[in-house]
Amino acid sequence: MSSYQNYLVTATLLFSLSGCTLASNKLEPKIIQKQEFTKVKTSEFDLENHYIIFALEYENQNAFDDARHVYLSLFENTNKYEYLLRYLLISFNLKDYQSVKRNISKYLLSNIKEEEMLLKLYSLSLLNLSEKQSALIYAKELISKYKNDLNHELLGSIYIELKDFKNGFLQFKKSFLLNNSENTLNTLSNIQYYYLLEKEETKKRLETFIEKNGYVFNICLQLLTFYEKDNQNEKLTPFLKKMYFDYEENKEYDLSLKTKSLLIKYLAKDNIEDAIKFLEVNSPEDVLLIALYQTSNKMDKAYDLLNKLYIKTNNSDFLAQIAIMEFERAENKSLVINEVILKLDEALKSIDNAVYDNYFAYLLIDYDKDIKKGLRLVKKALKVQPDNLAFIDTLAWGEFKLNNCLEAYTQMKRVVDKVGLDDEEIKLHWEKIKECKK
């Protein structure tokens, strides 16, 4: 066998097009028992190697339609089923299910080594052509000859399409017994919970899997979702704490971070003090604490943590937040305005944030520090969020300060038309801008 032909035999099993592998369609052969196959009689074809080169070059150029027809010619001239399979795989990925159906019905042979893949492609193509009952027949034939997890899942998927959830569940259950896969368990659990309505059994299955296999993140999320849907809120935070400490102990820091965010969300929902205490004990320099301190009006703690984090990291985002907090907390804002402006100016040299741009712009405009710079900043912010009414208010106020009364009126009217005059600052701006326009 030539090197090109060897390549094709291997490549058929690893087939991929444009980064999308056929693994997503459960097409890889996975035979779990040794089997004696019927040998297919083949023919010699003088141009075989030349055709292979053409086909491979077409594939390299993403000319898959041309490539598949070369493979079909190779099959017709040699009767080698690896070429037919290659043609069918490309056709399937090109969504030409009719061609797959037509050629498999014409050339399918029993007990050849390509039979499993041919039956898979046939079943899936029939399913995509909405010939569900026919797809079911061939999927059953497939599983009767080649019992493995992927084939059970294919048959199960067809049952689900037919809304036969009980049989679909049984097939995925058989698959799970073979592979113990989290993806299979995820599908199995969704069928059992949402379609068979066996909710307690589903949760028990997931809990058992976690006890045996550890805190597999996606399975844990699924179990948490079911707890929440069934209003078992008392189970949420204890379970999340176990997840978090397990990930921390095993140095799975990405997962511990995701889990911590979820845990704090649920803790804060019930009692924000519990969320604060948890972080103060287990993660005292966590940025989540800043928002929690602010929400619970512990501004001194929020300010101290911001300064600590800024000194430690030199992160300009922290500097911007420090500046804003200093301004908002000041009783006499005129006394701190210059220092706040210096900090915001420094912070915005290295970060791009529309909210900070607008905040800085408003200070520069409202305190008559640098109105033109303020307008440049708010216009930059509006490129990011063109309909943000707070930004439009800043723009209108800046135009008013430069005595561009008509433009100020046009912009301010957009704000007033949307939100009215309940806000005192908007009301003040509107009155002054209307007066200016007269």
Side-chain angles (χ1 to χ4, degrees):
M1 183 181 286
S2 75
S3 60
Y4 292 117
Q5 290 165 292
N6 273 318
Y7 165 83
L8 282 172
V9 172
T10 304
T12 297
L13 307 185
L14 303 171
F15 186 76
S16 66
L17 294 176
S18 305
C20 179
T21 68
L22 285 171
S24 62
N25 290 315
K26 308 290 190 205
L27 291 175
E28 315 95 316
K30 190 176 179 182
I31 301 168
I32 60 175
Q33 70 275 358
K34 234 179 172 181
Q35 187 165 341
E36 290 295 325
F37 294 111
T38 302
K39 191 171 181 179
V40 177
K41 184 177 180 181
T42 60
S43 304
E44 293 295 323
F45 178 45
D46 291 340
L47 297 177
E48 183 174 359
N49 286 340
H50 294 290
Y51 272 48
I52 293 171
I53 293 170
F54 289 142
L56 294 176
E57 185 57 32
Y58 279 136
E59 287 194 73
N60 287 335
Q61 296 175 11
N62 294 331
F64 298 116
D65 190 56
D66 292 324
R68 68 171 174 153
H69 289 300
V70 176
Y71 286 125
L72 186 58
S73 293
L74 277 163
F75 171 69
E76 290 170 343
N77 282 282
T78 66
N79 204 39
K80 293 179 181 178
Y81 269 73
E82 61 260 35
Y83 298 137
L84 174 63
L85 191 53
R86 193 73 169 172
Y87 166 81
L88 295 168
L89 286 164
I90 296 176
S91 297
F92 186 90
N93 261 16
L94 293 176
K95 298 184 175 20
D96 186 359
Y97 306 121
Q98 285 288 0
S99 290
V100 177
K101 174 188 172 184
R102 182 174 61 254
N103 283 282
I104 292 179
S105 62
K106 183 177 180 181
Y107 294 117
L108 180 62
L109 295 177
S110 181
N111 200 43
I112 61 173
K113 68 179 180 178
E114 293 84 6
E115 184 185 20
E116 181 182 7
M117 288 287 283
L118 293 173
L119 286 170
K120 283 187 180 184
L121 283 165
Y122 202 17
S123 298
L124 283 166
S125 295
L126 290 168
L127 188 62
N128 280 293
L129 291 167
S130 297
E131 299 179 33
K132 296 177 184 179
Q133 289 295 341
S134 295
L136 181 64
I137 291 168
Y138 285 97
K140 284 182 175 179
E141 182 180 347
L142 174 69
I143 203 67
S144 71
K145 294 180 176 181
Y146 305 97
K147 296 184 186 300
N148 61 57
D149 58 332
L150 296 179
N151 293 343
H152 280 298
E153 290 186 25
L154 172 56
L155 179 55
S157 297
I158 295 171
Y159 275 126
I160 298 300
E161 284 289 319
L162 290 165
K163 301 191 184 308
D164 185 347
F165 301 116
K166 184 177 180 180
N167 276 316
F169 172 77
L170 289 174
Q171 290 302 319
F172 275 96
K173 186 177 179 180
K174 289 178 180 179
S175 175
F176 180 62
L177 290 172
L178 290 171
N179 64 20
N180 200 45
S181 160
E182 63 182 89
N183 290 330
T184 304
L185 177 58
N186 190 282
T187 304
L188 182 68
S189 300
N190 282 330
I191 297 168
Q192 188 175 24
Y193 185 91
Y194 291 108
Y195 296 113
L196 300 183
L197 301 179
E198 296 173 353
K199 297 184 176 182
E200 294 306 314
E201 295 91 331
T202 305
K203 286 178 286 188
K204 184 62 180 175
R205 186 190 301 279
L206 293 172
E207 289 164 350
T208 301
F209 180 87
I210 292 166
E211 286 171 12
K212 291 180 179 178
N213 299 278
Y215 291 90
V216 179
F217 189 72
N218 289 335
I219 298 302
C220 291
L221 286 185
Q222 189 178 42
L223 180 56
L224 286 164
T225 299
F226 294 155
Y227 283 155
E228 191 167 28
K229 283 185 174 295
D230 293 340
N231 296 314
Q232 294 177 296
N233 297 326
E234 73 283 357
K235 291 188 175 184
L236 292 172
T237 55
F239 184 75
L240 281 163
K241 284 181 181 179
K242 289 178 182 177
M243 284 176 65
Y244 171 75
F245 288 122
D246 183 82
Y247 293 145
E248 283 286 299
E249 184 180 343
N250 290 295
K251 296 181 170 52
E252 297 180 78
Y253 296 124
D254 286 344
L255 293 178
S256 73
L257 185 62
K258 291 177 183 177
T259 303
K260 181 172 60 177
S261 297
L262 277 173
L263 173 58
I264 296 306
K265 170 190 166 186
Y266 285 112
L267 283 171
K269 184 179 178 182
D270 291 335
N271 188 331
I272 196 168
E273 289 301 320
D274 288 342
I276 289 172
K277 285 176 185 175
F278 181 86
L279 288 177
E280 286 178 338
V281 172
N282 296 288
S283 189
E285 294 183 3
D286 198 305
V287 293
L288 291 171
L289 260 176
I290 297 168
L292 292 173
Y293 283 145
Q294 290 173 326
T295 302
S296 56
N297 203 30
K298 297 180 179 181
M299 295 303 177
D300 289 341
K301 285 191 171 186
Y303 182 74
D304 290 343
L305 182 53
L306 275 170
N307 275 283
K308 186 176 182 180
L309 291 172
Y310 177 61
I311 291 168
K312 187 174 182 177
T313 66
N314 202 35
N315 186 323
S316 295
D317 191 89
F318 294 136
L319 180 60
Q321 291 184 57
I322 289 167
I324 292 169
M325 189 171 286
E326 286 178 353
F327 183 77
E328 296 296 330
R329 295 174 72 205
E331 292 184 11
N332 188 338
K333 299 190 186 308
S334 297
L335 293 178
V336 300
I337 185 65
N338 290 332
E339 181 65 23
V340 168
I341 284 172
L342 285 173
K343 286 178 179 175
L344 283 171
D345 197 35
E346 179 63 26
L348 292 180
K349 287 177 183 177
S350 55
I351 56 175
D352 206 4
N353 184 300
V355 174
Y356 294 158
D357 283 337
N358 176 68
Y359 192 93
F360 190 20
Y362 190 80
L363 294 185
L364 293 171
I365 292 166
D366 199 47
Y367 283 82
D368 298 315
K369 294 296 182 180
D370 190 337
I371 297 167
K372 289 183 179 179
K373 181 176 180 178
L375 281 170
R376 287 197 299 273
L377 283 166
V378 73
K379 286 176 181 177
K380 178 186 170 190
L382 280 163
K383 287 181 181 178
V384 180
Q385 298 181 32
D387 299 319
N388 189 305
L389 296 177
F391 296 1
I392 296 168
D393 174 58
T394 301
L395 176 64
W397 195 232
E399 297 291 0
F400 164 75
K401 290 274 187 160
L402 292 181
N403 210 36
N404 296 329
C405 300
L406 181 59
E407 179 63 17
Y409 179 84
T410 300
Q411 297 298 337
M412 198 65 209
K413 190 173 186 303
R414 292 172 64 193
V415 177
V416 173
D417 286 348
K418 285 284 186 181
V419 299
L421 296 171
D422 291 338
D423 183 270
E424 288 299 321
E425 194 165 87
I426 289 175
K427 185 176 181 181
L428 172 66
H429 291 176
W430 181 238
E431 294 301 327
K432 287 185 174 290
I433 288 169
K434 279 200 304 181
E435 190 65 29
C436 171
K437 182 176 172 288
K438 288 180 181 178

